[in-house]
Amino acid sequence: MTRSLTIPRPDDWHLHLRDGAMLRAVLPESARHFARALIMPNLMPPVVTAAEAHAYRDRILAALPEGSSFAPLMTLYLTEETDPEDVARAANEGLVQAVKLYPAGATTNSASGVRDFDRVRGVLERMAEIGLPLCVHGEVTDPEVDIFDREAAFLDRVLEPIRAATPDLRVVLEHVTTEEGVAYVREGGRDIAATITAHHLVINRNHLLVGGIRPHYYCLPVAKRERHRRALVAAATSGEEGFFLGTDSAPHPDHAKESACGCAGCFTASNALSILAEIFEREGALGRLEAFASLNGAAFYRLPVNGSRITLTRQPSEYPAKIDTPDGPVTVFDPGFSLHWSVSA
Ligand code: DOR
Ligand code: ZN
């Protein structure tokens, strides 16, 4: 049995750090294990311009624990008013690695997102020219579409028309949750990839709803049927270059989750790597964890693989049940099984 695994330090290609006191409380959890993370821009108000991304990056760097070399990679929040030249300048300076598309109303702080996709055509064309990826929250917001069908509907109704109109656009289908999404990425060539979260590899919709409603398993896109979870596990453990880790670790204080209208988000920054090692071991795919967590994302974003390395050892993993923050405790995602892999260096 494999007892230890050394891989290049992983990156998290989809992370919510928030701001202020919450940022300071949760940042050490990601900085401990990850070398870099792609930081989501859905603050209140959102990070729309290069100047806002610059200021947000400075606040993240100022909040880092002493001596940490964690690098935040920034994104811009796409609105119908986004200036293509502001985006191009930010990309050329190396300030931003991607632009994030939230369909308006799809999820947390997405109200300033896109309603009319024709109105962002100019930005998408400029991004295609310079090779800057578009990260998409892939769910339609049409109230007529069932929440469990919203990702599959997005592929046909929104993503396919965008890609047909802008064929060179590079796209990341964020937090893919369906077998349709996995198939779309597999068939889509080298300009499309998907991130997969740790929690969507663990839970299906029964975990969320059977025997009582579990607010800490509620996230968007919502967990789907077991066959979809199986498709995600197969994709993540395949080693295929189009699939890589984006935790979507999204802190909300417990009072905001354990509520009559609970917020969407699972907080996995503390135990995502231990969960992944467990899943990959069960699949007999520990040797492909490196591709998923450390290699494929860097290749897609055309960045070097991290020079430093981490070692995972087969010993019980300790992680806190909750992170204390000035806004109240944040519950760490409970996979529902014990974790046998710890990050040791
Ligand atoms: O579960 C989620 N939480 N999904 C998202 O798309 C947003 C995120 C958040 O910001 O809390
Ligand atoms: Zn997210």
Side-chain angles (χ1 to χ4, degrees):
M1 180 188 277
T2 309
R3 307 214 67 92
S4 142
L5 183 69
T6 298
I7 59 174
R9 187 172 285 276
D11 298 312
D12 182 351
W13 294 102
H14 184 128
L15 177 64
H16 297 272
L17 287 177
R18 318 300 190 203
D19 214 341
M22 183 61 91
L23 164 66
R24 285 189 289 278
V26 300
L27 179 58
E29 297 302 298
S30 289
R32 185 172 302 134
H33 294 158
F34 294 95
R36 300 173 290 203
L38 191 68
I39 310 302
M40 291 301 119
N42 62 333
L43 303 182
M44 269 304 239
V47 180
V48 174
T49 65
E52 287 159 355
H54 202 289
Y56 184 32
R57 184 172 66 178
D58 285 348
R59 296 198 296 281
I60 296 168
L61 292 173
L64 272 174
E66 254 324 277
S68 170
S69 53
F70 176 84
L73 307 177
M74 307 310 289
T75 59
L76 297 177
Y77 185 118
L78 182 62
T79 74
E80 293 176 7
E81 280 73 49
T82 293
D83 171 9
E85 290 318 310
D86 186 56
V87 172
R89 266 192 309 274
N92 287 336
E93 281 169 25
L95 172 66
V96 304
Q97 267 66 37
V99 171
K100 178 72 187 268
L101 164 63
Y102 289 103
T107 187
T108 311
N109 297 345
S110 62
S112 321
V114 178
R115 285 187 171 74
D116 177 355
F117 295 93
D118 287 336
R119 299 191 58 181
V120 295
R121 177 70 42 81
V123 183
L124 301 186
E125 279 167 7
R126 195 78 179 90
M127 290 170 61
E129 267 169 43
I130 61 176
L132 185 68
L134 179 73
C135 294
V136 300
H137 182 105
E139 291 190 286
V140 295
T141 52
D142 180 349
E144 300 289 311
V145 179
D146 188 274
I147 189 167
F148 293 100
D149 299 332
R150 287 182 173 198
E151 181 174 293
F154 182 88
L155 303 174
D156 296 338
R157 290 196 196 175
V158 181
L159 190 51
E160 191 50 30
I162 286 179
R163 296 184 66 231
T166 322
D168 294 329
L169 185 65
R170 309 184 70 234
V171 173
V172 182
L173 180 59
E174 297 292 324
H175 39 51
V176 63
T177 60
T178 58
E179 48 183 26
E180 290 89 344
V182 166
Y184 186 85
V185 169
R186 283 206 169 115
E187 291 156 14
R190 298 180 71 84
D191 285 338
I192 184 157
T195 53
I196 302 179
T197 75
H199 52 278
H200 286 113
L201 296 176
V202 173
I203 57 168
N204 62 33
R205 64 194 204 180
N206 279 12
H207 295 93
L208 173 66
L209 294 169
V210 171
I213 189 159
R214 314 284 161 138
H216 297 289
Y217 288 164
Y218 175 60
C219 63
L220 288 171
V222 70
K224 309 293 193 300
R225 290 174 181 275
E226 175 63 6
R227 72 180 156 82
H228 296 291
R229 190 192 70 83
R230 290 293 329 161
L232 301 179
V233 170
T237 58
S238 69
E240 289 165 51
E241 59 193 8
F243 299 101
F244 44 86
L245 174 63
T247 67
D248 198 14
S249 183
H252 292 277
D254 283 355
H255 65 79
K257 300 237 358 130
E258 298 168 5
S259 139
C261 184
C263 294
C266 296
F267 183 75
T268 55
S270 313
N271 57 6
L273 291 181
S274 296
I275 292 172
L276 289 179
E278 196 80 25
I279 301 273
F280 276 64
E281 180 180 51
R282 285 185 196 170
E283 298 299 309
L286 266 178
R288 291 193 285 272
L289 181 58
E290 177 177 21
F292 181 68
S294 312
L295 304 181
N296 294 349
F300 187 84
Y301 281 98
R302 299 174 173 163
L303 291 169
V305 172
N306 295 304
S308 66
R309 297 171 82 76
I310 60 161
T311 297
L312 288 140
T313 47
R314 205 174 192 295
Q315 60 189 45
S317 161
E318 307 281 337
Y319 60 89
K322 293 177 192 287
I323 305 293
D324 284 322
T325 86
D327 301 336
V330 171
T331 292
V332 176
F333 178 78
D334 173 5
F337 44 76
S338 23
L339 297 177
H340 303 95
W341 285 89
S342 314
V343 182
S344 61

